[in-house]
Amino acid sequence: ILGMFLELKFPVPWGHVAAKAWGPSEGHPVLCLHGWLDNANTFDTLIPLLPRDCYYVAMDFSGHGLSSHRPAGSPYHFLDYVSDVRRVAAALQWRRFTLMGHSMGGAVAGMFCFLYPEMVDKLILLENLGFLLAPEDTEAWLKSKRVVIDRLLSLEAKQQTPKARSPKAALQRLLEANRHLTAEGGAILLQRGATETPAGLVYNRDMRVRTQSREYFTVEQCVKLLQKIQDRVLIIVAQDGLLVPHKLDTRNHFVKALREAFESTLKEHIQLVEVPGSHFVHLNEPEVVSGIISNFLTVQNTRARL
């Protein structure tokens, strides 16, 4: 029964990466990657609606959910999340698998595809276009790198103990920070995203996650990289999400440019679908996307065999 899941732990040099798994372990492998500051529970409502012959593993990135925090003094580099994926794939002894990523998890999945194209047969991006796009202004790019270092040193100097909140206050804080989350969705994320202490609920996430250093691409680089992908790609964008072009301000014209590139030059193996819903549509209303994803998972990958 896909509602039932198994907790997994994979040892890493600084502790462990936690994950949860659904379905038969001999089934087609699908690795599921959550968004920034979220955790593996983001897939709790979706996976029970997907094909039952697949083996779904949803991992917590380092510093998120039930995974260990990175060692003292370490910032969170975007490529470290990609190496988390590589470590989990190695631990599971998966040579070729499907990747499904929501939001930041989609950007991690996209980068993994470019680095290890031979390991990925299909790519599913939920509310993400597979990239983190570069600020066009060099000064803005430099400032973003400086902020990473300054914030890390500032956090270390403060050495704050994580704040304890009542369950109600912890949920309220989560919903305030994520206007796209419903109360039900927030409660699901909180189950894995917080630990009960005598003083109240404490968020599990590492405070340093907020200072992560990103890997950026230009639109031209993105299109070139996507043309290298031999696997099939499904991109699901929510109409009230974060990537709908007519609702974006002018600074985000690169998202429009990317979508135009998908629709014109990369049609043969990239399927772009717009659905009603918000940034967390896969968690809030999984039935809106489950049929599209199920069809994509079950269609044979003819291109890969040519």
Side-chain angles (χ1 to χ4, degrees):
I1 302 167
L2 272 189
M4 303 288 286
F5 65 88
L6 191 68
E7 285 287 349
L8 304 174
K9 265 189 185 182
F10 305 105
V12 291
W14 60 91
H16 68 268
V17 169
K20 53 198 298 189
W22 294 258
S25 57
E26 69 282 0
H28 178 76
V30 181
L31 189 59
C32 308
L33 310 177
H34 65 77
W36 184 57
L37 299 177
D38 300 333
N39 56 64
N41 278 16
T42 196
F43 297 104
D44 273 17
T45 58
L46 173 63
I47 287 173
L49 304 180
L50 299 182
R52 291 168 180 262
D53 55 351
C54 291
Y55 182 46
Y56 304 91
V57 174
M59 58 183 275
D60 293 326
F61 287 123
S62 297
H64 295 71
L66 302 179
S67 287
S68 301
H69 296 185
R70 290 204 171 272
S74 301
Y76 281 76
H77 289 289
F78 179 76
L79 271 180
D80 294 334
Y81 295 133
V82 183
S83 60
D84 285 350
V85 173
R86 187 66 189 84
R87 288 174 191 274
V88 168
L92 289 163
Q93 298 183 314
W94 287 359
R95 295 179 61 184
R96 195 162 164 80
F97 53 95
T98 295
L99 267 175
M100 175 161 65
H102 171 246
S103 199
M104 182 191 85
V108 174
M111 179 66 96
F112 186 89
C113 274
F114 307 138
L115 296 177
Y116 298 97
E118 74 284 359
M119 294 186 74
V120 181
D121 60 5
K122 290 181 182 179
L123 176 63
I124 301 166
L125 303 175
L126 306 171
E127 270 287 285
N128 186 275
L129 300 177
F131 298 97
L132 296 168
L133 286 135
E136 300 210 318
D137 176 40
T138 306
E139 287 304 314
W141 179 83
L142 286 172
K143 186 181 175 185
S144 73
K145 297 297 181 190
R146 177 171 169 156
V147 163
V148 169
I149 297 169
D150 290 349
R151 278 192 185 158
L152 178 67
L153 297 183
S154 170
L155 273 175
E156 289 173 355
K158 286 177 188 166
Q159 290 188 322
Q160 286 172 310
T161 50
K163 188 174 179 181
R165 294 175 168 89
S166 70
K168 187 178 176 183
L171 179 59
Q172 192 58 42
R173 177 72 193 88
L174 194 62
L175 297 179
E176 283 167 10
N178 293 280
R179 62 184 177 84
H180 292 258
L181 266 180
T182 61
E184 294 80 4
I188 289 170
L189 287 178
L190 208 54
Q191 284 167 11
R192 195 175 184 88
T195 299
E196 210 170 315
T197 71
L201 284 183
V202 172
Y203 292 140
N204 293 339
R205 61 191 180 216
D206 189 339
M207 288 294 288
R208 292 173 298 165
V209 165
R210 293 181 172 275
T211 69
Q212 67 171 355
S213 178
R214 300 179 169 190
E215 296 289 328
Y216 291 118
F217 293 101
T218 64
V219 173
E220 293 73 26
Q221 287 172 317
C222 296
V223 173
K224 276 185 182 165
L225 286 167
L226 278 163
Q227 284 168 333
K228 286 165 65 108
I229 290 186
Q230 293 303 304
D231 40 294
R232 295 178 67 246
V233 183
L234 170 65
I235 301 172
I236 296 179
V237 174
Q239 284 167 4
D240 294 311
L242 302 183
L243 299 173
V244 179
H246 63 269
K247 293 188 179 170
L248 292 172
D249 61 33
T250 50
R251 284 183 304 115
N252 277 327
H253 73 268
F254 47 62
V255 174
K256 297 174 190 173
L258 254 189
R259 286 191 58 163
E260 283 163 15
F262 291 154
E263 287 159 358
S264 58
T265 60
L266 305 162
K267 264 183 187 161
E268 72 272 22
H269 64 295
I270 293 188
Q271 183 186 349
L272 183 65
V273 184
E274 212 168 286
V275 298
S278 71
H279 188 58
F280 283 90
V281 63
H282 68 291
L283 173 61
N284 296 336
E285 301 155 292
E287 61 286 345
V288 171
V289 296
S290 58
I292 301 163
I293 295 170
S294 296
N295 289 341
F296 182 76
L297 285 171
T298 50
V299 168
Q300 285 301 308
N301 198 346
T302 49
R303 184 184 171 87
R305 287 206 300 270
L306 293 176

